[in-house]
């Protein structure tokens, strides 16, 4: 049983190929609000042909924080995938309590990340999931309940804001030469150190405050494109799980099939 996993974010669309055991491959396309069912469907069809080598895809399983692309994706799944699209949590129940005051307000990716972390890590009772995406989100889980969390600026979004609003600041690549803070000796070096260690300090500070609220012990799981980079300078990240959202989609679909639910 092979199925396509799709995480539609504000900046990128991430794809994975899932089966009963794991997410076996991942690809990334930029999010484009001008996509049609044909343009997006053809791109996905090409990815599937490249990745699956003749395996039959039985379903597309997706979460999306870009509502404008949902109908496009659904149409593409039928035309080019010849299979149904399952939007999570619209079409697939997530076995986790949602304690948001307005449950429908929670981003699907945040809820799926919390669900995935709880399924992957039965202990300890408290989890903090940090997703380094367009925004940096902190999501808190206690036992089998999603409590809510925090939304902060994203690293690349902050860099983009600086570069567009400040003419003299150069473009930089985020890289680490040492895992300890250095005093910047150039504008690029100063910006690099400020962004990396500034965000690491934000992470460490907020995790410390959240741990005062949550039941001990607490595990901190990081995901998203820059998670591995930040984990090298943050003191509070316990582990990095790059494909956490795709893994949550995989687990939710398998649970859905196991219960014999139809669309």
């Amino acid at each position: 049983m092979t199925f396509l996993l799709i995480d539609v974010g504000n900046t990128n669309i991430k794809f994975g190929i899932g089966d009963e055991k794991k997410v076996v491959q991942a690809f990334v396309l930029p999010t484009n609000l001008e996509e049609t069912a044909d343009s997006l469907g053809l791109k996905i069809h090409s990815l599937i042909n490249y990745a699956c080598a003749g395996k039959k895809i039985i379903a597309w399983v997706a979460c999306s924080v870009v509502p404008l692309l949902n109908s496009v994706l659904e149409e593409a799944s039928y035309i080019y995938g010849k299979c149904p699209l399952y939007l999570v949590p619209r079409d697939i129940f997530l076995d986790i309590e949602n304690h948001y005051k307005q449950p429908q307000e929670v981003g699907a990716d945040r809820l799926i990340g919390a669900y995935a972390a709880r399924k992957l890590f039965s202990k300890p009772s408290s989890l903090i999931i940090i997703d380094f995406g367009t925004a940096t989100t902190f999501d808190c889980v206690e036992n089998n309940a999603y409590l809510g969390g925090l939304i902060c600026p994203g690293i690349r979004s902050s860099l983009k804001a600086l570069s567009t609003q400040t003419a003299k600041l150069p473009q930089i690549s985020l890289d680490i030469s040492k895992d300890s803070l250095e005093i910047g000796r150039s504008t690029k070096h100063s910006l690099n150190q400020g962004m990396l260690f500034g965000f690491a300090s934000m992470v460490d500070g907020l995790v410390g405050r959240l741990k005062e609220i949550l039941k001990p012990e607490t595990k901190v799981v990081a995901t998203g494109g820059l998670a591995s980079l930040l984990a090298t300078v943050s003191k509070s990240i316990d582990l990095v799980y790059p494909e956490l959202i795709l893994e949550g989609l995989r687990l939710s679909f398998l649970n859905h099939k196991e219960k014999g639910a139809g669309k």
Side-chain angles (χ1 to χ4, degrees), residues 4-203:
L4 181 68
L5 308 167
I6 309 171
D7 175 14
V8 183
N10 289 297
T11 303
N12 293 312
I13 305 176
K14 195 167 188 178
F15 300 87
I17 306 299
D19 60 21
E20 291 92 334
K21 296 181 179 179
K22 60 183 178 179
V23 178
V24 295
Q25 201 158 9
F27 306 90
V28 178
L29 292 175
T31 301
N32 179 4
L33 297 181
E34 302 301 316
E35 293 277 21
T36 65
D38 291 326
S39 65
L40 186 57
L42 285 168
K43 290 174 186 176
I44 296 173
H45 186 65
S46 297
L47 291 177
I48 291 173
N49 285 343
Y50 171 78
C52 293
K55 292 181 181 177
K56 179 175 174 55
I57 299 291
I58 66 166
W60 292 9
V61 187
C63 68
S64 171
V65 296
V66 187
L68 285 174
L69 289 180
N70 292 357
S71 60
V72 172
L73 198 59
E74 190 146 28
E75 186 177 351
S77 71
Y78 283 101
I79 296 173
Y80 294 94
K82 302 292 190 285
C83 62
L85 171 74
Y86 294 85
L87 271 174
V88 185
R90 186 195 72 180
D91 302 319
I92 294 178
F93 173 75
L94 290 176
D95 183 22
I96 188 169
E97 298 172 31
N98 185 346
H99 286 196
Y100 236 48
K101 286 186 177 180
Q102 299 293 330
Q104 70 277 7
E105 289 184 0
V106 183
D109 54 342
R110 296 176 66 193
L111 195 61
I112 291 166
Y115 168 82
R118 182 77 288 167
K119 291 297 182 184
L120 292 167
F121 310 108
S122 58
K123 294 181 180 179
S125 61
S126 297
L127 300 170
I128 299 172
I129 300 95
I130 308 173
D131 190 343
F132 295 97
T134 306
T136 304
T137 57
F138 297 72
D139 291 298
C140 301
V141 174
E142 268 187 359
N143 299 318
N144 197 47
Y146 170 75
L147 303 182
L150 311 170
I151 303 175
C152 305
I155 301 176
R156 295 200 187 280
S157 303
S158 298
L159 268 176
K160 184 177 180 181
L162 276 175
S163 64
T164 55
Q165 297 297 320
T166 312
K168 286 192 173 183
L169 284 182
Q171 297 286 336
I172 66 164
S173 59
L174 292 168
D175 52 44
I176 297 173
S177 56
K178 293 171 62 177
D179 59 4
S180 58
L181 178 68
E182 299 174 315
I183 296 174
R185 300 294 184 179
S186 68
T187 303
K188 283 189 176 182
H189 192 205
S190 299
L191 189 54
N192 178 277
Q193 292 291 288
M195 294 301 296
L196 288 173
F197 287 91
F199 270 86
S201 296
M202 178 188 78
V203 167

Side-chain angles (χ1 to χ4, degrees), residues 128 202-213 236:
I128 299 172
M202 178 188 78
V203 167
D204 293 340
L206 289 176
V207 166
R209 289 173 181 256
L210 288 171
K211 282 184 174 180
E212 294 174 2
I213 301 170
S236 56

